[in-house]
Amino acid sequence: MDMTRDKLSSLVKKWQTTIETSVDIKTEDGFFLRVFCIVFSKRKKKQLKKTSYLTSSQTRAIRRKIISNLLKFTMENNLKNLIGKFLSEKLNSEIEKECKKIFPIHNFFIRKIKILKETN
């Protein structure tokens, strides 16, 4: 599963922070996956400043929140259910809601999924 280059290019804009993270996870049925995520900062309500950059501590906090939610979500699902839930984007809105508590963000996407090790 991979996001196309034109979709990714259309999301990246000036005056905002791009946060990318990758997580190595193990599914319930023994598959090892590497999940790449991307999220963008958003201007706060009634903000006058043109930019919406995050500090490094806010970036780290958002990454930690993404990693913990993905690990919690994937430990209890097998590969077939996991891919179905990744495509339904229910997980995306759930993680986005959790990360908005730290800083306003939008466009949380799972950019790519690699299978590192399969079960035999």
Side-chain angles (χ1 to χ4, degrees), residues 22-117:
S22 63
V23 184
D24 291 341
I25 55 175
K26 182 181 179 185
T27 61
E28 189 179 59
D29 52 353
F31 283 88
F32 285 92
L33 304 174
R34 183 168 288 151
V35 180
F36 296 90
C37 304
I38 190 166
V39 68
F40 302 95
S41 64
K42 181 180 169 183
R43 291 178 62 184
K44 295 178 182 177
K45 289 184 180 181
K46 299 181 181 178
Q47 179 176 330
L48 299 176
K49 193 168 65 170
K50 182 179 180 181
T51 62
S52 61
Y53 296 133
L54 276 72
T55 62
S56 61
S57 60
Q58 289 170 329
T59 304
R60 284 193 308 270
I62 288 175
R63 277 195 188 116
R64 268 188 254 120
K65 191 72 85 169
I66 290 170
I67 289 169
S68 66
N69 283 345
L70 278 175
L71 288 174
K72 180 179 71 175
F73 180 75
T74 57
M75 291 295 178
E76 56 204 35
N77 290 307
N78 60 11
L79 185 66
K80 187 176 182 180
N81 292 339
L82 199 60
I83 298 300
K85 290 182 180 183
F86 282 151
L87 293 175
S88 71
E89 296 186 7
K90 179 184 175 193
L91 176 68
N92 293 1
S93 60
E94 190 176 305
I95 292 176
E96 194 172 315
K97 189 188 311 179
E98 284 293 317
C99 292
K100 279 185 180 180
K101 295 174 185 174
I102 300 167
F103 194 89
I105 61 165
H106 69 287
N107 292 338
F108 175 83
F109 289 105
I110 295 174
R111 190 172 59 87
K112 184 190 286 189
I113 299 174
K114 289 183 180 179
I115 296 179
L116 300 176
K117 187 177 176 185

